[in-house]
Structure formats: C-alpha cells, structure tokens
Amino acid sequence: MAVKHRRPADTGRDDPKATELGRAVSRLRCELAAYPVELSDRTVADEELTALDAMVREGRAEVPELRRSLLLIASSLGSVSRLGPSVTAVRAAIDQFGDAPHR
C-alpha cells in the first residue's frame, strides 16, 4: 500500500499566493456579513473562512485542508448566486497552491 504524503502549501507572509487567498477570503467574509438573508449554515461558512484565514496567516496550510474548507464553504452557502463570484475567487486562490484535481 502506497503512503500518500501531504504536501504543505507554500505559504508565508511574502507569498503572493497566500496574499491573494487572504484577500479572497476577506472579500467573501465581508460579502457574507452584508448578505441580508438568513442562511441556515452561515455559521459553518464563517468558521471555515476563519480557519482558512488562520491557516494562511500562520503558514501551516496544507492543500487538502484548504480544499476541505472550500468544500464546506461552498456547500454551506448553497446556490447563493450573489456570493458566487467571491467563492470562485477563493477557489481560484486555493488552486494556485497546487495539487488541483484533474478533470
């Protein structure tokens, strides 16, 4: 059985990928806070955005955890089209860290 090693995302204070992800997370957090409709899983999205922000700031992000957070955020927001572009920006920023799934 092969052992799959987890590769830490290349993060750091001067890393442009981390900076872009931080900006995308911040934008989505602001838009979610301003969204006037009550969402049943808003707390889940808020918690995962906080986790993403912490992972990047602390330089301890790993691609699988970034993707897990993205999945939870996307599923908790459902099909809120108004937030779609910001969720897409978070996804694009995470994709820059590598290990993007093959289609």
Side-chain angles (χ1 to χ4, degrees):
M1 175 186 261
V3 176
K4 186 174 181 181
H5 294 281
R6 293 177 142 190
R7 186 175 66 123
D10 182 20
T11 60
R13 295 177 195 264
D14 297 327
D15 182 359
K17 295 180 292 189
T19 300
E20 184 174 338
L21 179 55
R23 285 184 187 140
V25 166
S26 179
R27 177 179 163 203
L28 181 53
R29 287 176 96 172
C30 289
E31 289 183 11
L32 181 58
Y35 190 68
V37 178
E38 185 57 38
L39 301 171
S40 60
D41 289 332
R42 182 186 294 251
T43 302
V44 173
D46 284 330
E47 289 171 355
E48 289 305 316
L49 287 167
T50 299
L52 271 177
D53 185 51
M55 283 188 262
V56 171
R57 278 187 296 104
E58 296 169 7
R60 61 177 177 79
E62 292 186 2
V63 173
E65 282 74 22
L66 294 173
R67 294 198 183 286
R68 178 188 169 280
S69 287
L70 175 62
L71 179 62
L72 289 169
I73 291 165
S75 64
S76 66
L77 297 179
S79 60
V80 179
S81 60
R82 183 169 162 191
L83 300 174
S86 292
V87 173
T88 299
V90 170
R91 178 183 178 204
I94 288 173
D95 285 348
Q96 290 186 31
F97 284 94
D99 292 338
H102 298 283
R103 294 179 190 214

